[in-house]
């Protein structure tokens, strides 16, 4: 599983990169379906922190985004949304 992290109007520090990688590691249990993850971190209106992700799975793409007051909260919410989407996708395939 390949994880790409890009910053838009924000510098992606080692701490942010490590945090995103640790949160996306929770998706490793669904690694059979996930081919790659592209995460974009950005700041809007100098107060809102946005994290968006495109997950390439077998035969499909899943998208999620989260806007919060801090970047870490935004990444947490993004990881939760992605996990819910991937579980739902896995359930569709197994039925």
């Amino acid at each position: 599983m390949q994880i790409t992290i890009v910053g838009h109007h924000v510098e992606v520090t080692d701490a942010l990169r490590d945090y995103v990688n640790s949160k996306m590691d929770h998706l490793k249990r669904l690694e059979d379906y996930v081919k790659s993850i592209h995460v974009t971190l950005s700041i809007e209106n100098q107060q809102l922190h946005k994290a968006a992700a495109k997950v390439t799975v077998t035969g499909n793409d899943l998208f999620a985004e989260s806007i919060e007051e801090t970047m870490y909260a935004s990444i947490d919410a993004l990881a939760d949304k992605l996990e819910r989407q991937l579980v739902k996708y896995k359930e569709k395939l197994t039925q």
Side-chain angles (χ1 to χ4, degrees), residues 2-93:
Q2 178 184 3
I3 301 174
T4 307
I5 304 168
V6 177
H8 186 260
H9 297 293
V10 66
E11 181 182 345
V12 181
T13 62
D14 289 337
L16 277 176
R17 186 175 307 279
D18 291 342
Y19 194 73
V20 170
N21 283 329
S22 70
K23 286 296 179 177
M24 296 303 152
D25 278 345
H26 293 289
L27 305 177
K28 287 226 182 213
R29 64 186 175 93
L30 302 168
E31 190 173 18
D32 297 338
Y33 304 101
V34 178
K35 295 193 181 291
S36 67
I37 300 174
H38 181 81
V39 179
T40 304
L41 306 175
S42 62
I43 296 178
E44 295 182 358
N45 300 333
Q46 297 181 354
Q47 294 177 357
L48 298 176
H49 299 265
K50 179 179 176 182
K54 174 185 169 188
V55 178
T56 304
V57 293
T58 307
N60 227 349
D61 287 337
L62 304 175
F63 299 95
E65 70 178 19
S66 175
I67 299 174
E68 299 288 336
E69 291 183 9
T70 66
M71 188 61 76
Y72 292 103
S74 181
I75 294 168
D76 286 341
L78 176 69
D80 292 341
K81 287 180 182 182
L82 285 175
E83 186 169 1
R84 282 193 303 265
Q85 285 185 10
L86 285 169
V87 167
K88 194 173 195 179
Y89 177 76
K90 179 182 174 185
E91 288 174 357
K92 281 184 181 181
L93 289 180

